[in-house]
Amino acid sequence: MSNTEEEALAHDDADPGHRHLFHVPPAEGGRYPEVAYLAGNSLGLQPRATRDELLADLAAWSRLGVEGHLEAERPWLPYHELLTAPAARLVGARPAETVVMNSLTVNLHLLMVSFYRPAGARTRIVIEDSAFPSDSYAVRSQARFHGLDPDATLVRLRPRAGEDTLRTEDVTAFLAAEGHTVALVLLGGVNYLTGELMDIPAITAAGRAAGAVVGWDLAHAAGNVPLALHDWDVDFAAWCSYKYLNSGPGALAGVFVHERHLGDPGLPRFEGWWSTEASTRFEMTPVSRPPATVEAWQISNPPIFAMGPVRTSLELFDAVGMPALRERSLRLTGYLERLLDEVTADRPLTVVTPRDPARRGCQLSVRIGTGSANELTKRLRHEHGVIADAREPDVVRFAPVPLYSTYHDCWRVADALAATVEKHS
Ligand SMILES: Cc1ncc(COP(=O)(O)O)c(C=O)c1O
C-alpha cells in the first residue's frame, strides 16, 4: 500500500483519541498484541472505569441491604435520574423527554403502543427494506396486534435499482404522495447494514406534514453522530447502549418522546409503578398519577447494576463531547475510506456506504464480490487480529469508533484486506 504504517502511527501521535480509557482485547492472530477493533457498531469496548463504578454499586447493596434505596451513595430510588441529563445531551433532547430503560425492541413496542394507532385509511407503517430484522418483526407484530395483515400494512422503502442506499428525495416524495395512508414512519437513523445516515430532520418534517407519526431507531446513531431530536421535531426515538455507548452486552436502552406528547391523557400507554409520579409511588393507591414527562412510559423499577455501566459511559461522552467526537470521526473514517479506495480498486470489494461524510457516521460497509462475509471476517480475525463483523451473505462492516479506534487500526484493516482478498485476475 502506498499509505505506510509509519504514516498511520504519525497520525495517531497527532490525533490520539481516548483509547487509554478502554480495555482493548488481546489479539488471537497476526503480529500485534491487541486486536484492531472495528466492531464497536455491534458491541463497544469496555471503559476502564466501568468495573470500579459497578463494584461501588454492589458494595452499597452488601453494606446497606434495602436501605440502599435511599442511603446508597447513589440512592437506587432516583438512580435512573443520574442518566437522564447526559442521555438528553447526547441526543439533543430536553431532560423531560429522555429516559433510560428496558432494551431497544421492548421500548419500540412500548412507544408503538402510544404512537402506532391505525385508523380509517391511515394504517401503514413505513420502514427501510434493509431495516434491522428486529424492527421488521416488531412492526409486523404490531400490525397483527391491531388485526391488520402485516404484508399489506408494511411499506418497505428500497433504494433505486443499481443503488445501495436510499435517497432522501425519494423518501420525502413517497410521503408527499402516499403519506395520507401512513400511520407511522419508523426508520433507522443510521442504517445498520449500509451505514447510511438518514436526513432525520427532512424525513421527519415530510412525515409529519403528511399527518403521520415519525419515530427513529437510533441504535447506530446514538453516540455516533450529533443528534438534535427536540429541534428536529421527532415524535419519538429509541436506541440501545451496547454499540457506540459502550455499556455492555444487552445494556439498557434510551427513549425520547417529544415534549408536545408529554402529559397527553389521550395517548394510550402501558403502566406500572414506575409510571406514576415518584412522590406518589409509595402511597400504594390503585390508580397511577403519571408525570408530564417521558418517565410516564417507565413501568418497572430499574435494574441498578445495569444502569451503572450506562451512567459511566454517558459521563465519558459528556466529558469528551459529541462535537469533538464527530470531528475525530470524520478524520478517522475519511482516512479509512482513502485506504479502502486503494485496496478495493483492484479487488472484488465495494464500499456501499455513502461517500459524502454528511450522509454517514463512522461505519464503512464493504460488499464482497466472492466468498462469504463470515469466512472473510474469520480470516481477518485469526490471521490478522482485525475484528470486523459480517452480515451475511456479502457485507463486512468496519467502524473506526472515534473514542478508541486509531489510525493504525484503520491501516491494519486495509493491510489485512489486501493480504486476504485476491486481486482481480
Ligand atoms: C438497528 C437495530 N434495531 C434493533 C436492534 C435490536 O436490539 P435489541 O435486541 O437490543 O432489542 C438492533 C440490534 O443490534 C439494531 O441494530
Side-chain angles (χ1 to χ4, degrees), residues 61-77:
W61 181 29
S62 62
R63 205 173 57 250
L64 295 163
V66 69
E67 308 299 350
H69 282 303
L70 294 172
E71 293 176 19
E73 186 194 340
R74 293 182 278 262
W76 305 328
L77 275 179

Side-chain angles (χ1 to χ4, degrees), residues 23-71:
H23 291 287
V24 181
E28 289 173 26
R31 50 201 169 92
Y32 303 94
E34 290 179 345
V35 294
Y37 195 78
L38 279 291
N41 57 325
S42 187
L43 181 73
L45 291 179
Q46 184 184 133
R48 288 184 182 276
T50 300
R51 180 190 297 258
D52 285 348
E53 295 286 310
L54 197 51
L55 288 175
D57 286 336
L58 268 171
W61 181 29
S62 62
R63 205 173 57 250
L64 295 163
V66 69
E67 308 299 350
H69 282 303
L70 294 172
E71 293 176 19

